[in-house]
Amino acid sequence: MSSGSRRPDVCVVGAGPVGLTTALGLAAAGIGVTVLESAPDIAASSRALVHQSHTLEGFARLRVLDAVLRAGTPLRARDFVVRRTGERIRHPTPDLRTGSAPAYNLILRQDELSRILLRQLLRFPAAEVKFGCAVDTVRQNSASVRVGYTHKEGRGQLEARWAVGADGARSTVRKSLGVEFEGFTWPERFVATDIRYDFAAHDYADANFVIDPDDGAIIVRIDAGKLWRVAWTESAALPEKTLPRRLAEFFARNLPGPRPRHYELVAHAPYRAHQRTAERFRVGRVLLAGDAAHVTNPTGGMGLTAGLHDAFPLGEALAAVLLGRCGEDVLDRYAEAGRAAFLTRFSPLATDLKRLVFDTRDPARLAEALAPLRRLAADEELRRSRAAALRSVLPLSLLDDGQAAGRLRPDLGTAAADLLEPQGSTGHHSGPQERQTAP
């Protein structure tokens, strides 16, 4: 999908949702942008699923919300389930409807979102996407960035005024810049499965956190039918070749309903999860976004959420710089605010939720964590205020245009769990302290 060779204003590396969202923000402002993607097409994988209501506001600003809503399924409630007691704590989505976006969270497969963004992006004549181009070098000077890549016909090079690395956790762009990826790798292996099973018939909410130190799980609806994501952790010492047997054993123990339990295993993937962030999100004329800038464990769906909240303000801010509407300092603000948001909100929340769901063995700690969850379940106004507070601290714009100041709200502190449940789930979110090799 290419309009031919040319010199764009911006080269975006990576055609996932973050790269395409950034490119769309640029193209909508009239900026020439080329996206380079190593894969031959959009990867057919569900991966991330849930999009927060405040994220939908970003899609509204890019004028793709209608297509996103048509493709997705509303997430009306989430449950915290204590497996050993059977207690189910339900949090219905609070009513926070705005003029631009619905109140609810949305379930939409990552690949379907990427296709929507791609179709919209290619409507702009100044935008192009080149698949099958594996970037291997990034060099810059005071005026431009040169991005080298290989493709089926040999080598190529693209020169642009700016570049954005949105090429995932193993980012070539980040490594070319010499930027450290600070943090740790979780000791457990995560296992993600997509299965067809009627969880709704057993009163499961659209999203469920099953709390248990041995059989904790995240269970999320994928579509309006019976396709669900079920994910859990296991010892990384277990051999991957025997995983199919353990899948069957896990479902035998944990699927609700009478035996025999008939389900269809559609897909499964074992992987290691990380809590890492780049030491810098900007180096000269190159900026990092999404998993190239930060990665988190999947509990709570904070990975893509954090990435999209990079992309929304970055595309707009970089376009404003190129159009001469503001100085380059707005890009420093992006880099500082994005890194701080991940470290003080997204990563702590995902870490606290992971510890609650999979690691809480002490009954006293569990009781402490469940108390605020029960209060939230019983108090819709409290749920509304928490969700509204989250919206207020995740700016969709970095420009001083009345939309947002683009700076962190110091009055809201650093505890993401005060904005998103659970509050005080495990007491800390520092995670394992060993430093391991970055992805």
Side-chain angles (χ1 to χ4, degrees), residues 291-312:
D291 284 358
H294 44 68
V295 289
T296 179
N297 81 84
T299 319
M302 291 295 103
L304 182 53
T305 298
L308 289 171
H309 279 276
D310 294 338
F312 293 135

Side-chain angles (χ1 to χ4, degrees), residues 207-397:
N208 306 266
F209 298 100
V210 181
I211 302 168
D212 190 86
D214 298 312
D215 276 325
I218 308 164
I219 302 174
V220 182
R221 181 189 293 277
I222 294 178
D223 60 20
K226 297 180 181 180
L227 187 62
W228 293 70
R229 167 74 47 76
V230 183
W232 64 92
T233 63
E234 66 173 17
S235 169
L238 294 170
E240 287 192 19
K241 66 180 181 181
T242 57
L243 179 58
R245 183 189 70 208
R246 296 195 299 278
L247 295 179
E249 293 170 349
F250 182 89
F251 292 136
R253 293 194 306 272
N254 292 288
L255 291 185
R259 298 174 184 271
R261 296 162 180 151
H262 300 293
Y263 63 91
E264 178 188 354
L265 178 62
V266 176
H268 71 278
Y271 62 95
R272 300 298 296 273
H274 313 270
Q275 300 297 135
R276 295 184 182 276
T277 183
E279 61 177 334
R280 292 176 289 169
F281 286 16
R282 179 189 178 190
V283 178
R285 291 183 167 269
V286 184
L287 299 116
L288 300 175
D291 284 358
H294 44 68
V295 289
T296 179
N297 81 84
T299 319
M302 291 295 103
L304 182 53
T305 298
L308 289 171
H309 279 276
D310 294 338
F312 293 135
L314 176 56
E316 180 190 60
L318 187 51
V321 171
L322 284 160
L323 293 170
R325 295 174 180 169
C326 65
E328 293 181 13
D329 62 303
V330 71
L331 302 177
D332 292 325
R333 289 168 55 195
Y334 158 77
E336 294 165 5
R339 190 171 190 274
F342 181 77
L343 289 173
T344 64
R345 296 175 191 136
F346 295 115
S347 184
L349 175 62
T351 300
D352 282 349
L353 280 172
K354 188 268 181 191
R355 292 190 181 283
L356 171 66
V357 172
F358 300 108
D359 303 334
T360 308
R361 293 188 177 275
D362 182 355
R365 294 288 293 275
L366 179 59
E368 180 185 358
L370 294 178
L373 296 178
R374 295 183 183 118
R375 288 196 296 271
L376 283 166
D379 190 337
E380 181 178 0
E381 185 55 38
L382 182 58
R383 294 196 305 275
R384 285 170 54 86
S385 65
R386 290 285 175 83
L390 180 67
R391 284 186 172 190
S392 73
V393 299
L394 293 177
L396 298 173
S397 173

Side-chain angles (χ1 to χ4, degrees), residues 6 8-10 23 25-34 124 126-127 315 318-320 322-323:
R6 59 184 178 82
D9 295 305
V10 181
L26 290 160
I31 301 300
V33 57
T34 295
F124 292 95
L318 187 51
L322 284 160
L323 293 170

